[in-house]
């Protein structure tokens, strides 16, 4: 299941395009992919505009997270890296690779939390909760919960208005 998020700005107006390959016959995987890609849009627009101390706080939360190794290896698969045992900082990665790892981690956590909200009270919907545990840091958890609530509202609206519409590639939209 693939998705892609592209930020744009034209004439001072910010918008983003999200592409989702919806070749899956369940509603949860497209919902997760959509939530993940929209979380990237949030990251582009808001997280990157945080003040330096909040950016460092987000980085430090990431560096203490048990899943950091997975995201670092995804962002820089052929790079030898290590984590300084005293400072916790990463060695061997450039700034862009570190930012990419943090962004993917953030998008996955946000999408997983969104899926918890989406599945709440709906026992027939099965989701993976392996990445959805909150960090325990109120700064990060408040960001994730805020976005997850928004995403849940978007997805519920989508289901309400479009879940019975089926289109095939090349088909004209009525």
């Amino acid at each position: 299941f693939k998705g892609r998020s592209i930020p744009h700005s034209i004439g001072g107006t910010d918008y983003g395009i999200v592409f989702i390959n919806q070749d899956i016959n369940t509603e949860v995987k497209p919902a997760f992919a959509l939530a993940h890609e929209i979380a990237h849009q949030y990251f582009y627009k808001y997280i990157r505009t945080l003040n330096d101390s909040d950016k460092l706080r987000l980085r430090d939360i990431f560096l203490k997270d048990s899943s950091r190794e997975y995201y670092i290896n995804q962002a820089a698969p052929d790079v030898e890296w290590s984590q300084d045992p005293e400072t916790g900082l990463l060695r061997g990665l450039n700034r862009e690779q570190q930012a990419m790892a943090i962004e993917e981690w953030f998008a996955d956590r946000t999408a997983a939390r969104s899926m918890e909200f989406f599945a709440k009270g709906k026992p027939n919907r099965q989701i993976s909760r392996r990445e959805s545990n909150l960090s325990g840091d109120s700064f990060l958890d408040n960001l994730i919960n805020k976005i997850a609530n928004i995403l849940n509202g978007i997805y519920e609206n989508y289901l309400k208005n479009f879940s019975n519409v089926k289109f095939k590639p090349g088909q004209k939209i009525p």
Side-chain angles (χ1 to χ4, degrees), residues 3-4 13 20 30 33-34 62 80 132 136 148 154 163 166:
R4 180 135 193 245
T13 302
I20 303 291
L34 182 60
F62 169 76
E80 294 273 337
S132 62
I154 291 169
S163 63
K166 304 289 183 204

Side-chain angles (χ1 to χ4, degrees), residues 4-22:
R4 180 135 193 245
S5 181
I6 303 170
H8 286 284
S9 181
I10 294 179
T13 302
D14 291 331
Y15 69 95
I17 299 171
V18 174
F19 296 97
I20 303 291
N21 174 3
Q22 191 172 338

Side-chain angles (χ1 to χ4, degrees), residues 46-76:
Y46 297 105
I47 303 300
R48 291 180 183 211
T49 64
L50 291 173
N51 63 46
D52 288 343
S53 65
D54 284 343
K55 286 179 184 177
L56 289 174
R57 186 171 178 185
L58 184 62
R59 183 206 62 198
D60 290 346
I61 296 166
F62 169 76
L63 291 175
K64 293 175 187 169
D65 191 275
S66 62
S67 65
R68 72 188 172 282
E69 200 170 306
Y70 169 80
Y71 293 98
I72 293 167
N73 289 331
Q74 292 294 310

Side-chain angles (χ1 to χ4, degrees), residues 1-2 20-26 29-30 167 169:
F1 206 87
K2 295 273 187 184
I20 303 291
N21 174 3
Q22 191 172 338
D23 239 1
I24 306 294
N25 293 328
T26 69
K29 289 183 182 178
F167 293 106

Side-chain angles (χ1 to χ4, degrees), residues 1-170:
F1 206 87
K2 295 273 187 184
R4 180 135 193 245
S5 181
I6 303 170
H8 286 284
S9 181
I10 294 179
T13 302
D14 291 331
Y15 69 95
I17 299 171
V18 174
F19 296 97
I20 303 291
N21 174 3
Q22 191 172 338
D23 239 1
I24 306 294
N25 293 328
T26 69
E27 61 185 46
V28 174
K29 289 183 182 178
F32 185 90
L34 182 60
H36 174 93
E37 296 306 330
I38 291 175
H40 278 292
Q41 293 294 325
Y42 185 90
F43 195 92
Y44 294 135
K45 184 164 175 93
Y46 297 105
I47 303 300
R48 291 180 183 211
T49 64
L50 291 173
N51 63 46
D52 288 343
S53 65
D54 284 343
K55 286 179 184 177
L56 289 174
R57 186 171 178 185
L58 184 62
R59 183 206 62 198
D60 290 346
I61 296 166
F62 169 76
L63 291 175
K64 293 175 187 169
D65 191 275
S66 62
S67 65
R68 72 188 172 282
E69 200 170 306
Y70 169 80
Y71 293 98
I72 293 167
N73 289 331
Q74 292 294 310
D78 300 324
V79 174
E80 294 273 337
W81 64 273
S82 63
Q83 192 166 3
D84 186 300
E86 289 181 28
T87 65
L89 298 178
L90 300 174
R91 293 187 221 150
L93 297 177
N94 64 38
R95 194 177 188 132
E96 185 178 310
Q97 291 164 326
Q98 289 185 51
M100 187 184 307
I102 293 169
E103 184 178 330
E104 285 299 325
W105 166 79
F106 179 84
D108 276 355
R109 282 198 169 260
T110 303
R113 185 66 174 155
S114 180
M115 292 298 90
E116 281 185 351
F117 288 3
F118 173 65
K120 195 173 190 176
K122 300 170 182 139
N124 59 330
R125 294 188 179 152
Q126 295 180 350
I127 62 168
S128 167
R129 295 179 189 266
R130 68 187 167 102
E131 293 171 325
S132 62
N133 55 329
L134 293 174
S135 69
D137 184 282
S138 61
F139 170 72
L140 176 62
D141 294 347
N142 287 338
L143 284 173
I144 288 173
N145 282 328
K146 177 182 176 183
I147 303 166
N149 275 315
I150 293 167
L151 294 174
N152 188 55
I154 291 169
Y155 196 70
E156 289 295 333
N157 190 39
Y158 165 81
L159 284 179
K160 179 181 166 189
N161 293 296
F162 300 107
S163 63
N164 293 325
V165 178
K166 304 289 183 204
F167 293 106
K168 295 179 181 168

